[in-house]
Amino acid sequence: AQSVAQPEDQVNVAEGNPLTVKCTYSVSGNPYLFWYVQYPNRGLQFLLKYITGDNLVKGSYGFEAEFNKSQTSFHLKKPSALVSDSALYFCAVRGRSSGNTGKLIFGQGTTLQVKP
Amino acid sequence: EPEVTQTPSHQVTQMGQEVILRCVPISNHLYFYWYRQILGQKVEFLVSFYNNEISEKSEIFDDQFSVERPDGSNFTLKIRSTKLEDSAMYFCASSGGTGLINNEQFFGPGTRLTVL
């Protein structure tokens, strides 16, 4: 069965410091991987995706993520955190099998708190 | 920038009543989804819809649930007889027209359903 794990409920970072939000996945075959962000009382906003190619993908607002096949991880990173990055972050996976309907499997979410 | 819209933003209903949640996906998208998020929990897939039929549904999506695309622009989720445990935020999503492979899903702002 497909699954996504975000081992940290909350990550606290000082503004200006680098941040990492962790994600590991379990899916048969090569996955499509996504990060979404959710601000309070808002919907999910797409940040970035890994489909194929370069393991380091860059997305919106200075975020990037590194796909590591051997560790089945897709950690979200940013070199310098901003207070406005504080939000709930979801990692999601979608399989590549034929007949795949696009269903996303989400992790449980990680709250990022960036302190001034 | 095109976006997915959802109405109402908040729906309060009595247990056993029918509710219809409405979504207007991005206009050239072909794949449509409903997800839900119970307060404090992860986002869960409910159903995917393509070419005027359900392509996949989860265990949550039982006979009380149905979806419809009545007029080529709206995409609705109906819960025939609501239960207390249906209280959640319901998100509609859509993805683009040239195939699933590289397309991220765009989410609406959600409808908060409260069943009393």
Side-chain angles (χ1 to χ4, degrees), chain A:
Chain A
Q2 299 175 88
S3 66
V4 178
Q6 293 179 242
E8 302 152 317
D9 289 336
Q10 181 156 328
V11 170
N12 297 310
V13 172
E15 188 173 33
N17 282 1
L19 70 87
T20 298
V21 183
K22 294 179 181 176
C23 171
T24 58
Y25 64 89
S26 173
V27 65
S28 56
N30 294 319
Y32 299 114
L33 295 156
F34 303 84
W35 276 100
Y36 284 85
V37 60
Q38 185 180 31
Y39 295 99
N41 302 312
R42 302 283 298 277
L44 286 82
Q45 192 173 334
F46 169 75
L47 274 180
L48 51 77
K49 64 185 176 187
Y50 172 81
I51 303 297
T52 188
D54 195 351
N55 288 344
L56 184 66
V57 292
K58 295 188 184 296
S60 307
Y61 312 119
F63 284 94
E64 57 191 31
E66 186 165 13
F67 171 61
N68 187 318
K69 187 173 181 178
S70 62
Q71 295 185 3
T72 61
S73 68
F74 190 55
H75 300 332
L76 181 71
K77 303 183 182 198
K78 187 172 181 182
S80 179
L82 299 172
V83 172
S84 57
D85 293 330
S86 299
L88 182 57
Y89 290 80
F90 288 99
C91 180
V93 67
R94 193 178 86 203
R96 290 181 190 247
S97 58
S98 62
N100 187 285
T101 62
K103 171 179 81 175
L104 290 176
I105 304 296
F106 284 88
Q108 63 268 41
T110 299
T111 298
L112 173 65
Q113 190 76 253
V114 181
K115 302 205 165 148

Side-chain angles (χ1 to χ4, degrees), chain B:
Chain B
E1 185 177 326
E3 58 183 16
V4 177
T5 59
Q6 290 185 244
T7 54
S9 56
H10 192 186
Q11 174 88 49
V12 180
T13 190
Q14 296 290 328
M15 190 170 55
Q17 295 295 304
E18 174 184 287
V19 294
I20 297 176
L21 310 183
R22 302 180 193 280
C23 169
V24 179
I26 294 173
S27 63
N28 64 341
H29 284 183
L30 298 179
Y31 302 88
F32 312 109
Y33 308 86
W34 284 101
Y35 295 82
R36 79 171 186 191
Q37 184 182 29
I38 294 172
L39 189 64
Q41 298 186 25
K42 67 167 76 174
V43 177
E44 301 173 288
F45 168 80
L46 290 178
V47 66
S48 57
F49 191 86
Y50 170 70
N51 201 25
N52 281 321
E53 61 183 22
I54 290 173
S55 45
E56 186 174 359
K57 58 185 180 181
S58 71
E59 294 172 352
I60 304 166
F61 196 89
D62 62 23
D63 292 345
Q64 295 300 315
F65 290 85
S66 62
V67 289
E68 195 176 36
R69 189 157 159 78
D71 56 11
S73 63
N74 290 284
F75 179 51
T76 62
L77 174 69
K78 183 193 289 187
I79 309 175
R80 189 160 54 216
S81 177
T82 50
K83 309 185 194 72
L84 294 176
E85 55 265 36
D86 293 328
S87 294
M89 181 73 92
Y90 288 79
F91 292 108
C92 173
S94 68
S95 65
T98 58
L100 285 173
I101 293 178
N102 287 337
N103 294 321
E104 61 272 22
Q105 293 173 27
F106 292 85
F107 284 76
T111 293
R112 180 164 298 286
L113 176 65
T114 302
V115 182
L116 302 176

